[in-house]
Amino acid sequence: MCAIAGVIGPDNAADLARRMTEAQRHRGPDGGGLFTDPGAGLALGHRRLAILDLSDAGRQPMTSRDGRWTIVLNGEIFNYVELRRELGGAFRTATDTEVLLEACAAWGVEKAISRSVGMFAFALWDSKERELVLVRDRAGEKPLVYFWDGKTLAFASELKALEPLHERRLDAEALDCYLALGYVPAPLAIFRNCRKLPPGHLLRFRKGSLRVDRWWFPEQTGETPEGSRFERVSKLRALMADAVKLRLRSDVPIALYLSGGLDSSAIAAECVRLGAGPQAYTVAFDGDETDLPYARETAQKLGLRHQVLRVGRGTLAQDLESFRRQYDEPFADSSAVPSLALARALAGRYKVVLNGDGGDEALAGYRHYHYIGVKQAAKAAAAALGFCDGRAHGPLGVYVESKVTFRAGERIRLLNGNAGDDTLASVLASQSYLACGRNGGALGRALWTDRHLYLPNDLTYKMDIALSSFGIEGRAPFLDHRLLEWAQGLPARDLVRRGSGKILLRAAYAGDLPAAVLDRPKHGFGAPVDRWLRGPLLAAAAESVPCPLLERDRQKGLSGQKLWTLFALAAWAREWRATW
């Protein structure tokens, strides 16, 4: 977990980059650096969380041996050992950063990243061609936001670093999507002239011209799993084993977040099989110890050191304060609050933690995947009759619109004419890779949509911000692109059956994990927003909502997720002093 920043164009590029880098100090408390090319009006900044090669040799920005290329990297190239062996030659450091840098110099950017297994967002400056390239990883584990007004291009790991440029002025289309989804999807960003680089994309900037292209094409990659069920189980175990093995590479100790669910338990089993045996942590919130018995039983069966971190009710105000301050876009996923509490509990103990993120999207863990065909047929019929949104957008639109908080008509009235009639549909249409999810039946479309819309814009954003706020790097083996590409071809019978999900994953770990964990239904990591809004947050909600950014009369009488969505927006807008 590091922070990158950069500016090209203005005379004060170096000063801007320095300020942007400093605004992200929490992501990289172990040092920083700055590179400038005055002739190009360029400055690149970096904050470091030292995990590989803890010496000063691992500092960034880093320049290639031939002096042509300079890089700033946030993230990890997990297969750097194998890539370094292929590249040959002498290396000055033991870092994955230098391996990626020299791979780009030797093979070109596209080939280097296509051969990289990892989570990364980086900027690469070519001093010969005067070209800046920004790259984001396949699953969107590492964030990359940028500002472009036709004259100045600036980028950073977090939107708060771009504050000197965007002036906190709202983007109406982004706010419209937030009211629909509870998060702002790429390529939109909440402030004007700001954008997120979508996962699996790269941006090239040269001679004042900016172009964004896809570099990952999951619909053209991967394989159709064939053979017997035993062979598919074996393949899944092999993919999981290698994903975990690569993510155990570190020069600092690694912890495991053991939630008591199947995903983190499967990772724990692979760690033990590999001889790692990391310290396992489970967070228990006062009044809710649902996960604890399962986590304890797993740790005992696997022989893991296990510690329970207890979070009291009295930290709610502190967690909400962090929520408003750290999430630099409005965010209505209530699980962000306990995620921050989890990160705070781990702070100062470990720099790296393994977690089970992505298992539900890869292998069909959510309950709404059960009988998804029947559910979506009913939604499509309702949309055709005008009872819900999604009628004009095909099967993909029906699925997305079935999950929105505020329908299109409600959003138009709330925004009081500040956004177009159907921003969400436009965003879905503009994301060409989402259209690939129109095939594969109802379950295939739902999984594809969640992997490419919800996962990179909600789940990975939530965990990245929560962990980075306390200088922690999260590693998620289920987000290994090789596993994702293989899993997208699995037949439905390996995913859901008779009201149960993750069928193949349960079979793969039947001999390693307790029966109670294998048979356990999905248990979410949300927060009791209804109870909060009627209890400890009642006064705060009443003070904040109606939100002054929205049409006042349309905010009366709301409750549940709709009220939480407006409360999160109002609290965020007050913290960031957002205006139209």
Side-chain angles (χ1 to χ4, degrees):
M1 187 72 64
C2 299
I4 62 174
V7 186
I8 185 168
D11 294 335
N12 64 336
D15 180 61
L16 270 174
R18 191 175 290 108
R19 291 166 58 193
M20 290 162 56
T21 304
E22 186 61 25
Q24 303 174 101
R25 172 181 284 267
H26 53 280
R27 299 183 69 94
D30 295 332
L34 189 72
F35 168 87
T36 61
D37 188 333
L42 170 88
L44 303 176
H46 187 265
R47 290 295 314 183
R48 186 185 186 198
L49 182 67
I51 292 172
L52 292 173
D53 191 344
L54 309 185
S55 72
D56 285 344
R59 295 179 61 187
Q60 299 180 48
M62 189 178 290
T63 300
S64 60
R65 288 190 295 254
D66 62 9
R68 174 176 173 178
W69 311 86
T70 300
I71 194 171
V72 284
L73 167 68
N74 171 27
E76 305 283 351
I77 307 299
F78 295 121
N79 65 331
Y80 74 100
V81 174
E82 291 77 10
L83 294 178
R84 184 171 60 194
R85 192 178 301 125
E86 288 186 48
L87 287 164
F91 284 81
R92 298 162 292 170
T93 75
T95 65
D96 58 330
T97 304
E98 187 183 9
V99 172
L100 176 62
L101 175 61
E102 297 300 339
C104 289
W107 300 334
V109 175
E110 285 88 347
K111 184 177 180 180
I113 55 181
S114 69
R115 299 179 69 173
S116 297
V117 178
M119 51 179 191
F120 48 83
F122 67 89
L124 183 71
W125 171 243
D126 181 350
S127 61
K128 179 180 178 181
E129 297 295 334
R130 291 297 202 242
E131 181 180 64
L132 180 68
V133 182
L134 307 181
V135 182
R136 192 175 180 201
D137 64 51
R138 300 169 180 89
E141 292 184 77
K142 294 298 155 192
L144 188 52
V145 294
Y146 64 94
F147 171 91
W148 171 240
D149 63 358
K151 297 179 180 179
T152 296
L153 173 66
F155 66 88
S157 296
E158 294 187 13
L159 199 57
K160 58 175 65 71
L162 299 178
E163 187 173 357
L165 297 164
H166 61 59
E167 297 178 335
R168 306 183 303 277
R169 298 182 65 201
L170 290 168
D171 181 284
E173 291 187 338
L175 185 53
D176 180 61
C177 284
Y178 165 76
L179 292 171
L181 301 171
Y183 55 85
V184 178
L188 298 177
I190 196 61
F191 294 118
R192 295 185 198 179
N193 293 328
C194 294
R195 286 291 183 266
K196 302 187 190 83
L197 187 64
H201 282 64
L202 59 79
L203 180 155
R204 293 185 181 276
F205 183 79
R206 185 179 180 188
K207 296 181 179 179
S209 177
L210 180 152
R211 191 181 82 229
V212 175
D213 297 303
R214 289 174 70 195
W215 67 267
W216 184 45
F217 299 85
E219 71 280 9
Q220 299 174 12
T221 57
E223 57 191 85
T224 300
E226 298 176 350
S228 67
R229 189 164 187 267
F230 175 80
E231 290 172 317
R232 293 195 297 276
V233 166
S234 298
K235 178 66 172 181
L236 177 56
R237 284 298 300 252
L239 287 167
M240 281 293 295
D242 198 54
V244 172
K245 181 184 75 172
L246 293 183
R247 283 159 182 79
L248 287 171
R249 288 176 170 171
S250 170
D251 291 335
V252 298
I254 296 179
L256 167 68
Y257 172 54
L258 189 62
S259 69
L262 179 58
D263 298 334
S264 63
S265 299
I267 293 168
E270 288 298 340
C271 287
V272 170
R273 193 182 69 82
L274 291 165
Q279 171 74 53
Y281 289 96
T282 302
V283 173
F285 298 94
D286 282 357
D288 182 9
E289 295 191 353
T290 308
D291 295 328
L292 196 50
Y294 299 95
R296 280 177 170 156
E297 188 173 356
T298 297
Q300 183 176 8
K301 182 175 179 64
L302 296 175
L304 286 174
R305 294 169 294 140
H306 183 225
Q307 184 174 348
V308 179
L309 303 177
R310 297 190 177 275
V311 178
R313 297 176 186 273
T315 66
L316 177 59
Q318 185 180 11
D319 294 334
L320 286 169
E321 180 67 23
S322 295
F323 177 63
R324 291 194 296 268
R325 184 175 63 253
Q326 298 299 338
Y327 285 86
D328 46 17
E329 287 192 308
F331 192 57
D333 186 336
S334 62
S335 65
V337 179
S339 295
L340 281 164
L342 181 155
R344 179 182 291 107
L346 285 174
R349 300 171 184 262
Y350 284 86
K351 287 185 177 181
V352 182
V353 59
L354 297 175
N355 63 62
D357 286 355
D360 292 311
E361 294 78 12
L363 296 165
Y366 295 122
R367 292 180 182 177
H368 66 255
Y369 296 144
H370 306 163
Y371 314 111
I372 189 71
V374 174
K375 295 176 183 178
Q376 288 309 299
K379 291 288 185 181
L385 295 172
F387 295 123
C388 67
D389 295 334
R391 174 174 45 181
H393 315 311
L396 185 62
V398 168
Y399 177 69
V400 174
E401 293 286 2
S402 71
K403 301 170 71 176
V404 302
T405 303
F406 289 96
R407 293 180 59 186
E410 294 175 303
R411 302 196 304 270
I412 290 170
R413 291 188 289 272
L414 275 168
L415 288 165
N416 202 19
N418 281 308
D421 290 344
D422 210 343
T423 302
L424 181 58
S426 299
V427 168
L428 294 179
S430 71
Q431 302 271 4
S432 59
Y433 60 93
L434 285 174
C436 303
R438 297 182 185 276
N439 300 318
L443 179 60
R445 290 192 299 269
L447 283 165
W448 188 281
T449 305
D450 285 342
R451 288 171 189 154
H452 297 281
L453 182 65
Y454 168 73
L455 179 63
N457 293 297
D458 183 304
L459 187 60
T460 62
Y461 171 67
K462 173 187 69 181
M463 291 308 297
D464 176 85
I465 293 293
L467 293 172
S468 69
S469 297
F470 297 94
I472 304 170
E473 175 177 277
R475 296 182 176 181
F478 282 100
L479 294 180
D480 189 297
H481 76 276
R482 299 165 301 172
L483 192 155
L484 291 173
E485 290 173 355
W486 179 79
Q488 71 188 10
L490 286 171
R493 65 181 181 275
D494 282 344
L495 299 171
V496 297
R497 190 189 311 144
R498 294 192 294 272
S500 183
K502 296 179 182 169
I503 301 301
L504 200 67
L505 186 65
R506 295 178 197 277
Y509 289 92
D512 298 88
L513 300 176
V517 173
L518 291 165
D519 298 335
R520 187 187 183 194
K522 171 67 180 175
H523 178 67
F525 192 51
V529 295
D530 283 326
R531 177 162 58 82
W532 283 0
L533 291 171
R534 290 194 302 269
L537 298 184
L538 179 63
E543 182 183 356
S544 301
V545 181
C547 175
L549 295 172
L550 303 175
E551 208 281 323
R552 186 179 186 89
D553 288 342
R554 301 292 176 184
Q555 302 178 61
K556 295 178 179 177
L558 298 180
S559 61
Q561 187 60 35
K562 286 188 174 182
L563 179 57
W564 178 262
T565 298
L566 294 190
F567 173 63
L569 170 63
W572 170 86
R574 178 180 296 180
E575 177 72 26
W576 291 98
R577 304 185 303 281
T579 66
W580 286 114

